[in-house]
Amino acid sequence: MNDGAGRADEAFFAALAQPGVQGLRAYDPGHDIVALRRRFEGTHLLELGSNENPYGPSPDARAAVLDMLHALHRYPDPLGGDLKRALAAVHGFGPAQVLLGNGSHELLMQFAQVFAGPGQEVVCAQYGFAVYALAAQAAGAALRVAPALPRSHAMARGHDLAAIAAAIGPRTRLVYLANPNNPTGTWFGADAFAAFLARVPDTVLVVVDEAYAEFADAPGYASALALLPRHPNLVVTRTFSKAYALAGLRVGYALAHPGLVAVMERVRESFNVNLAGLAAAQAALGDAAHLRWCVARNGEQRAALARALAARGWFVHPSQTNFLLVEFGPRAAAIEAGLLAAGIVVRPMTGYGLPDCLRVTVGTADENRRLLAVLDERS
Ligand SMILES: *Cc1c(COP(=O)(O)O)cnc(C)c1O
């Protein structure tokens, strides 16, 4: 293969890139899952590293994808009109308040591109989802990271809304929060968030990433969507990747003020959500019973797995999601290696500054049994 001139390595091109991109490191997706699938071909690789829904999507979503196969030579609907109307109806907003993304990841990146830049600041939280820092840096904005709640707090390592509010300054354009948060699994309550939002100037956009909202059932938890009508600077993102089990099709969305959506539409790639994704998402949205079933199974298994891990002496962070952040202590890396050798993938947390922890997706009852059995053998 011809790699071009000798001096043209990554550093050469990085120097040509925009300042924000020069200091950037690519998103770390964890292990090379395809290589692992090959390595464990013939046995069973247990994939608990990416918070996917182990039960799979609604049968209606599969049928909708098959129905689309005759139309692969056509572009998808550039407006995503049907899906927008369906989402608007489900959430009780207007279709003009819905923005569709190739996964919510795409939208999270684009908010920073559109609303923040050099000389401006983006605020996020320690142990917040890694994409927020990437988005800010890629846009050339400065990042201000608010410290997380202490490990001893009931919401261990979760978002500290007071610290986040305090980090907002005159240059702040954007705040990223996740509720519940990945990788901690923690959440904040509706009242605390309403009080926080009341303190934020209306020129600062507050993006609340609700990728795991469907899984949340704690009494104090509520989606930020209820605050949308009163706060034009609020943006709520959701995804079909987690509870709806369509991670492979890449469909996410945001709900926001129609004016904000209109500005974002200016930079949206015209066919960013593909044909199969649009059809599957709409069908999945129509099958509320399947969603409820998955969420109920996850709730049972999350509680059982958390209890089982805690009974073995490990600290389990409170979770309202489909994963658990588990503090295994100084042996975390060795435990992770042991799990991997046995064909079980979990997510190391060193990149988040939590080398003692691993993030474990809640599996089916059988999957969790196997995880615990291997942990008992190897740790
Ligand atoms: C998984 C996840 C996303 C969603 O990603 P998609 O691009 O929609 O698949 C967004 N935010 C958080 C916190 C996540 O964990």
Side-chain angles (χ1 to χ4, degrees), residues 55 199 263 281 287 329 333 364 373:
Y55 306 103
R199 289 180 58 186
V263 170
D287 190 351
T364 64

Side-chain angles (χ1 to χ4, degrees), residues 96-367:
Q97 293 186 266
V98 185
L99 180 69
L100 299 178
N102 188 251
S104 53
H105 191 145
E106 178 186 54
L107 299 177
L108 292 167
M109 294 296 290
Q110 249 165 28
F111 288 123
Q113 261 165 44
V114 171
F115 293 105
Q120 301 175 332
E121 288 175 358
V122 171
V123 170
C124 62
Q126 184 186 18
Y127 312 131
F129 189 42
V131 165
Y132 314 147
L134 260 176
Q137 285 174 270
L143 189 67
R144 288 190 70 162
V145 182
L149 292 168
R151 152 80 156 74
S152 58
H153 191 279
M155 215 44 74
R157 295 178 167 128
H159 287 352
D160 180 345
L161 292 175
I164 294 170
I168 296 172
R171 288 190 222 274
T172 306
R173 288 291 176 275
L174 200 57
V175 180
Y176 286 107
L177 303 161
N179 197 29
N181 181 47
N182 173 15
T184 56
T186 52
W187 70 100
F188 46 80
D191 295 343
F193 182 66
F196 164 84
L197 205 51
R199 289 180 58 186
V200 180
D202 64 3
T203 51
V204 175
L205 296 190
V206 177
V207 177
V208 183
D209 178 348
E210 295 190 342
Y212 299 95
E214 294 88 354
F215 295 114
D217 54 10
Y221 177 87
S223 166
L225 285 173
L227 297 170
L228 212 49
R230 270 179 293 140
H231 294 275
N233 58 327
L234 177 62
V235 178
V236 178
T237 63
R238 294 276 184 109
T239 182
F240 283 93
S241 299
K242 306 284 159 60
Y244 286 97
L246 291 172
L249 287 179
R250 316 300 309 123
V251 189
Y253 60 99
L255 291 155
H257 188 280
L260 189 150
V261 170
V263 170
M264 289 290 290
E265 286 285 348
R266 297 178 190 182
V267 299
R268 184 179 64 84
E269 190 226 312
S270 19
F271 302 102
N272 61 335
V273 184
N274 71 71
L275 203 72
L278 287 173
Q282 197 183 338
L285 199 62
D287 190 351
H290 182 79
L291 177 72
R292 274 198 303 274
W293 186 86
C294 291
V295 167
R297 294 293 79 70
N298 177 72
E300 294 161 8
Q301 292 307 315
R302 179 175 69 203
L305 183 60
R307 249 184 280 118
L309 291 165
R312 286 160 172 80
W314 293 308
F315 176 70
V316 181
H317 297 67
S319 171
Q320 281 289 289
T321 63
N322 65 340
F323 61 84
L324 298 171
L325 181 67
V326 187
E327 194 182 279
F328 287 97
R331 298 201 56 246
I335 290 172
E336 202 263 332
L339 288 172
L340 197 59
I344 301 179
V345 183
V346 300
R347 182 67 68 93
M349 288 285 111
T350 308
Y352 276 98
L354 296 167
D356 286 1
C357 296
L358 299 172
R359 195 193 66 195
V360 182
T361 305
V362 176
T364 64
D366 279 352
E367 291 175 338

